[in-house]
Amino acid sequence: MKNTMICMALALTAVTGFSGGYAFAAETGKAQTIIRNGEQAAIKGSAQFFTGNVRIDPLYPANNAMRSSGGSVTFEPGARSNWHIHPVGQVLIITSGVGRTQEWGKPIQEVRPGDVIICPVGVKHWHGAAPNSSMSHISICEEKEPGKVVEWMEKVTDEQYNGK
Ligand code: MN
């Protein structure tokens, strides 16, 4: 099985171990795979790519037949990603709390559970929690090439985060 990375786990360094062990239906053609809740260790979001405390819970890796990967990402109040782009885009499904997202040059948008953010290829953006609330979202990305789901950029400053 090729190496794979969880979208948003994105740490591009932290998750290289996350590919082994599972026999994927798409690869065997014989059976479904159930990855049990709790089987996969959570990953702390790297301070290189995030501000504040962020936890990434891997959900599923990409494989040779299905090139998306998914993870659940939880941001503590005030925590957010760096600015970044996705080479094949990204879908975010807000699952709890109150969050914020912003495209470069546009106003901050507040997001809530059930909201779905579809981020096109190459659009510079960030996402994270609101100042006084945590936020969790499921992140789904496709790999452009093995392991490549995000291109990291500079940090979101406090001024940018506060919309000033
Ligand atoms: Mn993103």
Side-chain angles (χ1 to χ4, degrees):
M1 189 184 304
K2 70 185 170 74
N3 283 340
T4 188
M5 304 275 291
I6 276 292
C7 171
M8 260 335 259
L10 20 138
L12 299 185
T13 54
V15 215
T16 45
F18 182 64
S19 66
Y22 299 109
F24 287 97
E27 292 183 340
T28 65
K30 292 178 181 174
Q32 295 186 108
T33 296
I34 299 177
I35 302 173
R36 298 293 180 184
N37 190 0
E39 281 185 4
Q40 303 172 90
I43 299 157
K44 181 172 173 55
S46 167
Q48 189 178 352
F49 305 125
F50 297 94
T51 297
N53 289 323
V54 177
R55 186 183 81 245
I56 300 151
D57 292 294
L59 292 173
Y60 69 95
N63 62 47
N64 290 323
M66 193 175 72
R67 297 174 64 180
S68 75
S69 60
S72 177
V73 186
T74 299
F75 300 82
E76 288 188 0
R80 66 269 188 179
S81 70
N82 284 14
W83 290 99
H84 62 280
I85 63 173
H86 299 285
V88 196
Q90 180 180 45
V91 174
L92 297 173
I93 304 164
I94 312 302
T95 53
S96 70
V98 181
R100 291 182 169 186
T101 188
Q102 184 181 24
E103 286 180 47
W104 185 258
K106 296 185 180 180
I108 290 171
Q109 302 277 331
E110 186 174 276
V111 290
R112 291 177 175 277
D115 291 346
V116 179
I117 303 166
I118 300 168
C119 185
V121 173
V123 171
K124 184 175 177 178
H125 69 287
W126 62 268
H127 26 103
N132 298 312
S133 175
S134 62
M135 185 275 280
S136 294
H137 63 48
I138 289 173
S139 170
I140 298 170
C141 292
E142 252 186 82
E143 297 183 349
K144 181 164 187 163
E145 56 197 73
K148 182 69 176 173
V149 296
V150 61
E151 182 179 327
W152 288 113
M153 298 172 175
E154 70 272 22
K155 289 203 168 293
V156 175
T157 65
D158 289 344
E159 291 74 17
Q160 290 170 330
Y161 177 75
N162 291 311
K164 293 175 181 168

